[in-house]
Amino acid sequence: MPKFEYAPAPESRAVVDIKSSYGLFINGKFLEATGTPFKTINPATEEVLADIAEASEADVDAAVKAARAAYTRVWSTMSGTDRGKYLFRIARLLQERSREFAVLETLDNGKPIRESRDVDVPIAAAHFFYHAGWADKLAYAGLAAGARPHGVVGQVIPWNFPLLMLAWKIAPALATGNTVVLKPAETTPLTALLFAELCQQADLPPGVVNIVTGAGATGQAIVDHPGIDKIAFTGSTGVGKMIARSIAGTRKKATLELGGKAANIIFDDAPVDQAIEGIVNGIFFNQGQVCCAGSRLLVQESIADEVERKLKARLATLRVGDPMDKNTDVGAINSRRQLDRIAELSAAGEAEGATRWDNGCPLPKNGFWFRPTVFTGVTQTHRIAQEEIFGPVLSVLTFRTPGEAVAKANNTPYGLSAGIWTEKGSRILWMADQLRAGVVWANTFNKFDPASPFGGYKESGYGREGGRHGLAAYVTTGEAV
Ligand code: TAP
């Protein structure tokens, strides 16, 4: 297969000032860490972007103490109206600096600039606007009587939506009066560090937001710290289970947003061309590195041949390559480790007897790439039908009746999201009721809104983010009523 040279557009560096090294953001200042720095790279070129500080247990302790002091002295006593003003200011600054954030996100993560520009950054700003609006209206959020902030919240996030996951975590925590210690993923720390600069620019009181960079050990140090009142984690189900075990028997609360294996279900009365776009968006958006990705296509048997033919024709038009090019559809995989996992599971799909097809497009010479891939002839026992691949790989299964579609859709350990494509409103309502998925999209996929709660069933975790249910996760006495 041909390989082509790829060099990032020279102007991409001009819109964002990437420092050669970054410290930890504790108590409103950037500080040197005690650990050995690590490097963050551009996954599309493998070039080093910056040296990043690795926070030790002592650094995490300093961050938790700063967050506690800010909570006690300033943030918990401030009126909701004033907290809201800070959140509005952050939201506006995110909009003003959106180009910088979008370029930095694409350089550090590998996602197409069109996605960081049109999805990640605007929705991150929208989360701050939405929660700014709640800060002085919590009495009307349906929270239980006497609800109070937890105090200091430890937040650990993954690499697939670095800025957006930060916004999902920090905006509701601050709106409800908590202070935070947040750890971004090891491979994508840069937009969190730019966000730290933005907190300085917004004059946020020191210690309200603390950003500590590092690997899994830093995350574990946050989870284990006795000064943390609540953990908010997004990441793999494996690490989520470890966190649940670590805090068992302590007073710490937790919300866990974990993996998924969503079914995107197409009935024979669906508008097929529209559904094809939904399938493509469902699995190839962000290279399929999306917890709610529509990674299992369940197609009604009578239209399976038509869907397969049209899907392959559409995939052949996808442009894979330079994430900084506005015409790119599919960017780089975030890390070599993730690329190896996608390759390993795809090899297992072939070994177990499914039929593999990819769009045969040329790939850049350096960096981490995987062609948009479809497996047909997949059965429910195949690993590619059960395990989260977290890559641009679609497993196609067929069904005959709505009951069979529900049974197959629910037959995974996960329960995060699902999609239904049909013209029948009654079928949509029946299916939505039957599917064990926290989010069900009808005749669309991957739509996100800060007002809409998001979260899972089963091994996809517990707790909700977004909407007033997401606020409830950040106060002591539980549920929105
Ligand atoms: P993980 O390996 O679980 O990492 C998530 C975060 O946890 C990272 O910051 C990671 O640090 C940190 N971490 C690793 N070990 C830890 C430990 N022992 N204690 C505390 N923190 C620890 O997941 P990932 O590979 O970054 O992300 C992919 C997974 O996240 C997928 O399964 C995906 O479905 C899930 N995800 C779920 C959602 C929702 S909303 N449900 C959204 C996005 C992603 P390092 O980066 O240094 O390893």
Side-chain angles (χ1 to χ4, degrees), residues 292 415-419 437-441 447 452-457 464:
C292 53
L416 191 55
S417 64
V439 179
V440 179
W441 287 292
K447 285 278 177 288
S452 179
F454 185 94
Y457 286 99
R464 294 291 178 266

Side-chain angles (χ1 to χ4, degrees), residues 156-161 165 168-169 183-188 214-223 233-240 242-243 246 256-260 289-292 337-338 388 390 414 416 454-456 460 465:
V156 180
I157 56 173
W159 44 261
N160 56 344
F161 293 96
M165 288 297 111
W168 280 30
K169 295 277 178 285
K183 189 194 94 65
E186 189 182 356
T187 57
T188 53
T218 303
Q220 189 71 52
I222 294 175
V223 170
F233 172 78
T234 296
S236 59
T237 294
V239 173
M242 280 165 55
I243 290 175
S246 298
L256 303 175
E257 299 283 357
L258 309 176
Q289 301 166 132
V290 183
C291 50
C292 53
R337 194 171 132 224
Q338 186 59 22
E388 187 180 44
F390 226 57
Y414 297 110
L416 191 55
F454 185 94
S460 291
E465 291 186 301

Side-chain angles (χ1 to χ4, degrees), residues 117-163:
R117 182 196 64 185
D118 297 345
V119 181
D120 296 62
V121 180
I123 303 186
H127 267 267
F128 280 97
F129 277 118
Y130 174 80
H131 287 96
W134 269 124
D136 63 352
K137 301 175 196 68
L138 294 173
Y140 306 97
L143 303 171
R148 293 185 322 277
H150 289 290
V152 178
V153 181
Q155 305 185 318
V156 180
I157 56 173
W159 44 261
N160 56 344
F161 293 96
L163 180 70

Side-chain angles (χ1 to χ4, degrees), residues 3 8 11 23 97 101 109 117 119 136 141 152 156 177 202 209 214 239 267 270 287 289 355 367 404 410 415 442:
K3 295 232 170 192
E11 66 271 20
R97 300 180 69 174
F101 273 99
N109 170 280
R117 182 196 64 185
V119 181
D136 63 352
V152 178
V156 180
V209 167
V239 173
F267 288 94
Q287 294 70 246
Q289 301 166 132
T355 305
E404 188 187 345
N410 287 340

